[in-house]
Amino acid sequence: MTDPRHVVAKRAENLSPTMPYVRGWAEAKRGADALAEQLHSAGLGTDFLGLRADVTVFGDGLVCLGPIQPEAGEMLARLLVMGLAMEMAEHADHQGQSAPPEAPAA
């Protein structure tokens, strides 16, 4: 059984040979790797040992955090709030400019 977002995958025998599972998994792998890099930078790399890429029976990629300690969840929530606050402040700073803001360096 799946929820509306197809997060709970069906059993493996229900997989379809025509579904692009590898593409979905590859997208999830890129996302999981990027998240792992940021978690490591924040000192949380060892708190998310179950972080992995997965794919649903519909071919949609998923980034699975795995089981984490409550403290790691709270720290992740704080980091997300801080990042959103910084983004909102940056957006507010650019509102008064006549030219569009420059894209960040890659």
Side-chain angles (χ1 to χ4, degrees):
M1 179 175 220
T2 62
D3 67 11
R5 295 174 298 150
H6 310 296
V7 173
V8 181
K10 295 179 182 177
R11 295 176 53 90
E13 54 265 17
N14 295 328
L15 296 179
S16 166
T18 61
M19 190 63 62
Y21 297 109
V22 173
R23 184 180 310 137
W25 182 87
E27 290 172 357
K29 176 75 168 119
R30 285 190 297 274
D33 288 346
L35 180 56
E37 184 179 326
Q38 294 303 315
L39 289 170
H40 180 74
S41 295
L44 295 173
T46 58
D47 293 310
F48 290 83
L49 297 177
L51 180 65
R52 63 181 173 79
D54 204 348
V55 67
T56 70
V57 71
F58 299 101
D60 299 323
L62 298 173
V63 175
C64 302
L65 297 179
I68 60 172
Q69 295 291 323
E71 297 81 13
E74 290 174 15
M75 179 58 80
L76 180 58
R78 278 191 231 115
L79 289 170
L80 289 169
V81 169
M82 258 189 344
L84 289 171
M86 290 173 61
E87 188 174 313
M88 291 172 63
E90 184 177 307
H91 179 71
D93 288 345
H94 293 301
Q95 289 295 328
Q97 296 180 352
S98 57
E102 292 180 277

